[in-house]
Amino acid sequence: MDESESLFLHPWVHDLLGNLRALLSNRTAVRDTLEIVIAGSSRLLHEFHRQGSPLRNISSRKTLINLSKSETVSLVVEPSGGTLSPDAIEAVWLETAGQPFLVQYIMYHLVEAGFEIATTDLVERIACSFYEIERRTDFADWCEDLGQIGLAAYTQLIARADDKWVPHRLLLQAKIAEPLQLLRSIDSLCFHGIVESGSPKCYRAVGRMFKRWFIDEILGQQPDPIIPTPLLPSERRNLEDQRTELDKRYTLLTRMIAALDVDISRKNTTFEQQPLKEQRSAFEGERDHIVDQLSKIERRLSGAT
């Protein structure tokens, strides 16, 4: 049974699954002679997770993960007859992380454009056109499927510099959700091919396409991590040095603003005051920015273990 999502649009689907469970239960001889394969995407995964679902009793789950880098390269090189440059091939890998649907999308448009003009810039433009030009809703649909817990977990994963591995215990410490809910949400992230699981129990975000869309369309900016990240001694010293320099600049700006206030009070006309007020406003803006930077440094120093 392929594309099983359409089944879940009908109210009788649970009766169907219940009948399949009865048919394939240990009490019938049919189990030894009949096997049923149900192929589907996220909706089928949710049904597998649902407590009391007939699928939980009669089925075993097989998940197709992303293609490996070597598999992705083979998939890209063979149709192109070896005409794609190594840089373009690498760009396809970095954009998709081997997610078959996304690899297929980029390759289709590279075929249309012509392999001989394929560059890293062209691959990136094709990747961005997925949602900027074609306005495809696939990524938005994935977000709907992931829910708030999945999106919160993904936000924490992409907040890590250079897509570093995040141990499961740190996601638990972030208190995104109850442990079982968190596990299921991470399962969905891996299912969609935008997160990779490793050993021992850790995860990282993969692929630039979804990450770029998520930051642009959902977050609006690169997120700050709330997960405590271990600090190396050199990193701590660097942050403390930054804090010292920012404190000095903050003190200097405060004095300069106070001096400007005195100068402004001595001017008799708005014309004379205006340039001083503009300079004061610029100093205040810089000081506010320093406050934000100091706040981030303090969180980093106090939150790291």
Side-chain angles (χ1 to χ4, degrees):
M1 297 167 57
D2 195 9
E3 297 184 359
S4 61
E5 284 75 17
S6 59
L7 294 176
F8 294 95
L9 300 176
H10 302 285
W12 42 259
V13 63
H14 296 296
D15 290 335
L16 171 65
L17 295 177
N19 290 334
L20 287 177
R21 177 174 59 183
L23 185 65
L24 298 176
S25 69
N26 290 325
R27 295 191 299 272
T28 68
V30 175
R31 184 180 180 88
D32 297 327
T33 58
L34 177 66
E35 287 189 352
I36 297 176
V37 177
I38 304 176
S41 57
S42 57
R43 184 63 187 84
L44 186 61
L45 178 66
H46 287 306
E47 182 62 26
F48 191 87
H49 282 156
R50 187 175 66 83
Q51 192 68 31
S53 169
L55 287 181
R56 292 170 64 93
N57 298 348
I58 62 170
S59 63
S60 61
R61 173 184 157 192
K62 303 291 183 182
T63 301
L64 298 178
I65 61 175
N66 283 5
L67 302 172
S68 68
K69 186 172 184 178
S70 61
E71 291 168 338
T72 303
V73 170
S74 297
L75 187 63
V76 170
V77 169
E78 290 183 16
S80 67
T83 58
L84 275 179
S85 69
D87 287 344
I89 295 170
E90 180 70 12
V92 174
W93 166 253
L94 292 175
E95 289 291 342
T96 65
Q99 214 277 7
F101 169 59
L102 301 181
V103 174
Q104 181 186 38
Y105 174 84
I106 290 179
M107 288 305 297
Y108 171 82
H109 286 280
L110 283 179
V111 170
E112 292 293 303
F115 291 128
E116 65 280 358
I117 67 167
T119 63
T120 55
D121 287 340
L122 177 59
V123 172
E124 183 174 336
R125 289 201 302 272
I126 291 172
C128 291
S129 72
F130 183 82
Y131 60 91
E132 289 181 349
I133 297 175
E134 295 194 10
R135 295 293 178 184
R136 294 187 62 116
T137 63
D138 301 82
F139 289 165
D141 293 340
W142 292 3
C143 284
E144 287 288 334
D145 176 62
L146 292 168
Q148 291 300 315
I149 298 172
L151 298 182
Y154 184 75
T155 299
Q156 286 307 301
L157 293 175
I158 64 173
R160 300 287 286 223
D162 302 320
D163 296 328
K164 292 180 180 178
W165 291 98
V166 178
H168 183 74
R169 60 179 177 79
L170 290 185
L171 286 175
L172 287 174
Q173 289 175 20
K175 300 187 183 303
I176 295 169
E178 294 299 318
L180 181 58
Q181 293 176 311
L182 179 62
L183 272 175
R184 289 179 175 175
S185 295
I186 293 172
D187 191 24
S188 292
L189 287 165
C190 295
F191 181 87
H192 285 294
I194 54 179
V195 166
E196 179 183 7
S197 62
S199 180
K201 209 168 185 180
C202 55
Y203 317 97
R204 66 178 177 183
V206 294
R208 292 175 177 171
M209 281 183 71
F210 181 82
K211 178 180 178 181
R212 187 189 299 115
W213 174 86
F214 186 79
I215 291 174
D216 290 346
E217 300 293 323
I218 304 300
L219 299 181
Q221 62 181 8
Q222 178 71 28
D224 290 327
I226 60 173
I227 298 175
T229 306
L231 279 178
L232 297 173
S234 58
E235 292 175 318
R236 179 172 290 277
R237 286 194 300 270
N238 183 48
L239 287 171
E240 289 172 345
D241 290 344
Q242 290 181 42
R243 181 176 62 183
T244 299
E245 292 302 315
L246 288 170
D247 280 335
K248 291 179 181 177
R249 181 62 180 169
Y250 180 89
T251 300
L252 177 61
L253 286 169
T254 300
R255 291 173 180 171
M256 294 169 71
I257 289 172
L260 282 171
D261 286 338
V262 173
D263 290 342
I264 291 171
S265 67
R266 292 173 178 172
K267 301 299 181 182
N268 297 321
T269 66
T270 302
F271 179 78
E272 292 176 310
Q273 292 177 348
Q274 187 59 33
L276 298 176
K277 288 182 176 180
E278 290 175 357
Q279 190 174 16
R280 186 188 190 284
S281 178
F283 287 160
E284 279 193 322
E286 183 181 352
R287 190 172 64 172
D288 289 343
H289 180 62
I290 287 175
V291 171
D292 290 339
Q293 290 179 297
L294 286 170
S295 176
K296 290 178 180 179
I297 289 174
E298 290 298 337
R299 289 202 304 270
R300 189 77 175 90
L301 288 170
S302 62
T305 56

